Amino acid sequence: DQQVKQNSPSLSVQEGRISILNCDYTNSMFDYFLWYKKYPAEGPTFLISISSIKDKNEDGRFTVFLNKSAKHLSLHIVPSQPGDSAVYFCAASRGSSNTGKLIFGQGTTLQVKP
Amino acid sequence: DAGITQSPRHKVTETGTPVTLRCHQTENHRYMYWYRQDPGHGLRLIHYSYGVKDTDKGEVSDGYSVSRSKTEDFLLTLESATSSQTSVYFCASLDRGDTEAFFGQGTRLTVV
């Protein structure tokens, strides 16, 4: 049972345009959401997060939107740069738990073309 | 970034042999995790630890065991390796009260 889903395995965009990566979740107990970025042969690195009490969080070129009623979040990258080419993982957690477990989606491979 | 290292970085082993992967963190983080990454599945949680000697199963724990005798070390053992356990394994750690886990660089394990 996949609690966090990224239904697009890959995305290709032109440099300078917007990249939109999507993520859906099924567990309404999740109250914190994160995006991680992963380059080949490296571990995932934290990118941006959002609490369920918010619907938007920005950090430079990266913005995450949360739609709780739809159980959907998205990551917007504007403008996209070739260095953004990587695998992006969406993750969710329950802040009320004392384990800090993160449940990840399958990942979306972003390619930004020069 | 948290100091978290995994060893070995690469390993090839034969079916049926036991294998132990090590994760070491220098940040005194309370929580530690083992994930495996496979195409089409993303990162799946194998086991996690919420303190010394406190561990629990994740979503894909069959065939794996873990131990945490010290805060800084979290060991993952494949009791009898199978080809289905060929994967890239990532360790992560998280401090109490934080929400952003830090990951190691991964161990690529091949079972032949």
Side-chain angles (χ1 to χ4, degrees):
Chain A
D1 178 29
Q2 191 86 28
Q3 297 185 70
V4 178
K5 298 180 183 180
Q6 294 175 254
N7 292 316
S8 297
S10 63
L11 175 68
S12 181
V13 300
Q14 208 64 35
E15 180 179 6
R17 306 295 293 269
I18 184 172
S19 295
I20 300 177
L21 294 89
N22 295 301
C23 178
D24 297 295
Y25 62 96
T26 58
N27 190 340
S28 58
M29 299 298 290
F30 289 143
D31 56 10
Y32 202 81
F33 304 90
L34 307 90
W35 285 93
Y36 279 78
K37 178 178 179 179
K38 185 185 178 305
Y39 292 118
E42 295 184 10
T45 55
F46 169 75
L47 186 59
I48 191 169
S49 62
I50 188 166
S51 164
S52 61
I53 63 173
K54 296 184 176 181
D55 55 17
K56 177 182 174 181
N57 188 29
E58 284 183 84
D59 184 1
R61 296 186 296 113
F62 302 91
T63 303
V64 56
F65 296 91
L66 176 62
N67 182 334
K68 283 177 293 190
S69 60
K71 294 190 178 68
H72 176 84
L73 63 154
S74 60
L75 174 68
H76 292 211
I77 306 174
V78 184
S80 301
Q81 299 174 354
D84 296 328
S85 298
V87 179
Y88 289 79
F89 290 102
C90 169
S93 70
R94 290 174 53 189
S96 56
S97 79
N98 64 350
T99 64
K101 281 194 303 181
L102 290 176
I103 306 300
F104 284 84
Q106 305 96 311
T108 296
T109 299
L110 173 65
Q111 181 185 30
V112 180
K113 297 180 179 179
Chain B
D1 284 349
I4 181 166
T5 56
Q6 294 182 227
S7 60
R9 293 293 312 280
H10 302 272
K11 186 170 182 66
V12 179
T13 192
E14 292 186 351
T15 299
T17 60
V19 177
T20 295
L21 308 183
R22 180 177 184 244
C23 179
H24 179 77
Q25 54 109 348
T26 59
E27 302 297 317
N28 202 37
H29 286 174
R30 175 178 179 178
Y31 304 108
M32 296 186 75
Y33 312 88
W34 276 107
Y35 289 88
R36 59 178 289 174
Q37 184 194 4
D38 304 289
H41 292 280
L43 292 160
R44 293 181 292 175
L45 183 64
I46 305 171
H47 280 281
Y48 63 98
S49 169
Y50 44 95
V52 173
K53 292 187 171 35
D54 291 323
T55 64
D56 206 347
K57 296 178 180 180
E59 52 190 314
V60 289
S61 60
D62 286 348
Y64 302 94
S65 63
V66 290
S67 66
R68 192 166 178 206
S69 58
K70 298 185 290 184
T71 298
E72 57 266 33
D73 291 325
F74 193 33
L75 304 180
L76 176 71
T77 297
L78 289 65
E79 306 289 346
S80 177
T82 68
S83 59
S84 65
Q85 294 176 312
T86 291
S87 186
V88 181
Y89 292 85
F90 289 99
C91 174
S93 71
L94 177 72
D95 202 7
R96 190 198 307 239
D98 285 349
T99 48
E100 299 140 20
F102 295 93
F103 281 81
Q105 290 195 299
T107 295
R108 181 172 293 277
L109 177 68
T110 302
V111 183
V112 298

